[in-house]
Amino acid sequence: MTIWNELAGLDFAVKTVDAAGVPTRSLQAGAGEEAVIFLHGTSGHLEAFARNIAAHAPYYECHAIDMLGHGYTGKPDYPYEIPRYVDHLVNYLDAVGLDKVHLVGESLGGWVAAYLASEQPERVLSLQLLAAGGTVANPDVMQRIRTSTTKAVQSNDIELTRARLHLLMNDPVNATEELVEARHRIYHQPDFVANIHNLLSLQDMDTRQRNLLRPDRLARIQAPTLVVWGHENPFGDVPEAEKMAADIAGAQLQLYPECGHWPQHEQAALYNPLSLEFLAKASERVKSVV
């Protein structure tokens, strides 16, 4: 399947939104009463959710964005730490007129989403953390991310980009040729190459430590929360997911076998109905409180 086939028959638009001066690439689809924002991982891009948009668009206004410094979004020259990502996300929400949203974040996207939910709970209807980062600082994992990404960006060899995507997947078949080519093109934009040190700043130990989602921050999250994890996640073992879910009051945990770091993509047939059920229940909970 290609990204175009995944979106076949769906009315959608890819736009550039001015988020307080940062041009932000956004795929928008659906027109529900509530909005779902999809946030990708480190060095990723909105195509990470190609297998999810069509399932959610009949019920929700969907926005998949390239986060600060990623994809085809603007790449200002400063380290991309979590408060910067959060500011950019809030500026995007303001630009498109969304006050409260459901957040779906994979890896780095989950880190950013959880941070926003802890800082501005009034803006978050629900929270999904898909193989989310940010609760630990594992030097081996951080070095693996830094090395694999830097090699792929600094060399024009598309096999290094393919290897970077294969690292995410339990089954390499899920790293489609279209995804590889899309990421390779993104990786070799001049401004992406020039700012790779900013994008990878969270792989520096001191920087990561001051940005971590510590238990006291997770305890401040009020939104209904779903944690989704793969048993073969190369960047974090299952106990990390269990601890994350335990630190957030009332969080639901879903584990998938034969799944790596992209559960929404690798296990889309299982994840999409789970997500829709969770979103519906979260909406009812919010309405009952109001």
Side-chain angles (χ1 to χ4, degrees):
M1 293 289 288
T2 71
I3 293 166
W4 285 110
N5 283 339
E6 301 286 3
L7 299 174
L10 177 68
D11 288 336
F12 69 93
V14 178
K15 302 178 180 181
T16 299
V17 174
D18 183 349
V22 178
T24 302
R25 185 173 69 134
S26 169
L27 187 154
Q28 301 176 16
E33 293 182 0
E34 298 175 351
V36 180
I37 312 297
F38 296 90
L39 305 170
H40 59 75
T42 298
S43 81
H45 35 92
L46 62 81
E47 284 83 0
F49 297 98
R51 294 180 176 176
N52 314 116
I53 301 297
H56 289 75
Y59 312 100
Y60 298 95
E61 178 183 335
C62 297
H63 297 246
I65 70 171
D66 288 346
M67 295 200 300
L68 179 70
H70 286 69
Y72 294 100
T73 286
K75 300 166 182 63
D77 186 11
Y78 49 67
Y80 305 142
E81 297 192 37
I82 298 301
R84 297 274 199 181
Y85 286 116
V86 170
D87 286 346
H88 172 250
L89 173 57
V90 170
N91 289 335
Y92 176 84
L93 298 180
D94 290 344
V96 296
L98 294 172
D99 294 327
K100 298 180 179 181
V101 295
H102 300 278
L103 293 177
V104 177
E106 177 265 324
S107 192
L108 171 65
W111 190 347
V112 173
Y115 203 99
L116 175 57
S118 72
E119 289 283 311
Q120 300 183 43
E122 72 279 1
R123 301 208 69 161
V124 181
L125 293 170
S126 75
L127 180 64
Q128 294 187 45
L129 305 177
L130 316 179
T135 60
V136 300
N138 183 320
D140 292 338
V141 170
M142 293 159 63
Q143 185 59 38
R144 194 182 315 149
I145 293 171
R146 177 189 294 280
T147 301
S148 62
T149 307
T150 301
K151 284 182 177 179
V153 170
Q154 292 182 344
S155 170
N156 197 41
D157 184 356
I158 197 169
E159 292 304 317
L160 292 173
T161 304
R162 181 174 287 107
R164 177 65 175 85
L165 274 168
H166 283 179
L167 183 61
L168 304 172
M169 313 290 184
N170 179 60
D171 186 345
V173 73
N174 285 302
T176 66
E177 284 305 300
E178 188 179 26
L179 268 176
V180 172
E181 291 171 9
R183 181 163 291 207
H184 189 69
R185 184 181 292 266
I186 286 169
Y187 274 4
H188 294 89
Q189 299 170 91
D191 59 351
F192 193 96
V193 176
N195 279 284
I196 190 60
H197 62 293
N198 289 322
L199 187 149
L200 292 172
S201 64
L202 290 169
Q203 311 315 316
D204 298 324
M205 184 58 74
D206 289 345
T207 304
R208 193 178 191 89
Q209 286 288 348
R210 66 173 172 262
N211 285 272
L212 283 179
L213 294 168
R214 301 190 185 278
D216 60 331
R217 179 173 290 281
L218 293 176
R220 287 156 50 187
I221 294 173
Q222 301 173 21
T225 301
L226 171 66
V227 178
V228 181
W229 208 266
H231 277 283
E232 285 72 44
N233 184 352
F235 298 143
D237 295 328
V238 168
E240 186 177 331
E242 293 172 336
K243 178 67 164 59
M244 187 184 303
D247 286 339
I248 302 172
Q252 174 184 345
L253 175 63
Q254 177 66 54
L255 303 175
Y256 288 134
E258 300 181 355
C259 181
H261 197 61
W262 272 24
Q264 81 287 352
H265 183 83
E266 299 172 82
Q267 295 289 349
L270 297 176
Y271 165 74
N272 286 332
L274 172 71
S275 173
L276 290 171
E277 180 183 12
F278 170 78
L279 289 167
K281 289 181 178 178
S283 296
E284 288 303 315
R285 174 177 159 180
V286 170
K287 290 174 183 176
S288 67
V289 170
V290 174

